[in-house]
């Protein structure tokens, strides 16, 4: 996926603002390019897990109706940006979605993109332009 520097920074800033809790949100993607970022509320308000607020999830319908792909983003405030077992379990509900994770270990942002399908985790290319 390609993403502009501005959208990338918006996601990283969201992660830093919500720390020590995990942040979460949605990215609308067309032709393998991020076109819009939607911040969401983490109803768990936890440093260990996230759950996107139901109202915010309604945006997935808009993304789908516009013929765009969905990437769900969240942060790991104390670990590397690799899907946890909790993430892999949660991803069962969203088999077609990409998963962007912002790792804030040592306050340095490390951002990675993943595909999680059927419990299988594969890293995908993320190009910041």
């Amino acid at each position: 996926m390609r993403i502009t520097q501005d959208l990338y920074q918006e996601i990283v800033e969201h992660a830093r603002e919500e720390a020590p809790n995990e942040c979460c949100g949605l990215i609308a993607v067309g032709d393998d390019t991020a076109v819009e970022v939607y911040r969401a509320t983490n109803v768990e308000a936890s440093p260990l897990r996230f759950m996107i607020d139901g109202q915010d999830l309604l945006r997935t319908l808009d993304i789908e109706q516009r013929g765009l792909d969905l990437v769900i983003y969240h942060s790991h405030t104390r670990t590397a940006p690799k899907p946890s077992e909790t993430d892999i379990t949660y991803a069962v509900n969203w088999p077609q979605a990409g998963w962007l994770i912002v790792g804030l270990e040592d306050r340095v942002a490390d951002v990675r993109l993943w595909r999680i399908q059927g419990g299988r985790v594969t890293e995908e290319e993320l190009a910041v332009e």
Side-chain angles (χ1 to χ4, degrees):
M1 177 180 84
R2 294 182 312 274
I3 187 168
T4 64
Q5 185 68 39
D6 288 345
L7 291 179
Y8 177 87
Q9 277 307 124
E10 184 176 335
I11 293 167
V12 170
E13 287 172 17
H14 186 201
R16 287 186 172 136
E17 287 169 15
E18 294 295 323
N21 291 334
E22 291 191 5
C23 77
C24 57
L26 309 170
I27 305 169
V29 179
D31 295 324
D32 202 37
T33 301
V35 295
E36 202 160 358
V37 169
Y38 303 96
R39 288 184 179 208
T41 299
N42 176 0
V43 296
E44 293 286 336
S46 166
L48 303 174
R49 70 180 69 228
F50 78 97
M51 182 168 294
I52 299 172
D53 179 80
Q55 283 298 118
D56 294 320
L57 279 176
L58 292 176
R59 293 197 172 148
T60 62
L61 298 174
D62 175 59
I63 292 168
E64 183 179 285
Q65 288 172 350
R66 290 168 44 202
L68 300 171
D69 296 319
L70 173 66
V71 172
I72 297 171
Y73 76 86
H74 72 284
S75 59
H76 287 180
T77 58
R78 297 184 284 183
T79 60
K82 296 179 180 174
S84 66
E85 288 301 318
T86 302
D87 296 337
I88 293 167
T89 300
Y90 188 62
V92 169
N93 299 311
W94 307 95
Q96 300 307 315
W99 295 85
L100 186 130
I101 303 175
V102 180
L104 292 177
E105 200 172 27
D106 300 322
R107 296 294 294 168
V108 176
D110 183 9
V111 183
R112 301 205 183 163
L113 180 64
W114 306 90
R115 185 70 54 186
I116 307 171
Q117 293 179 317
R120 201 169 122 229
V121 177
T122 307
E123 188 168 6
E124 296 193 339
E125 184 179 346
L126 178 65
V128 181
E129 302 176 339

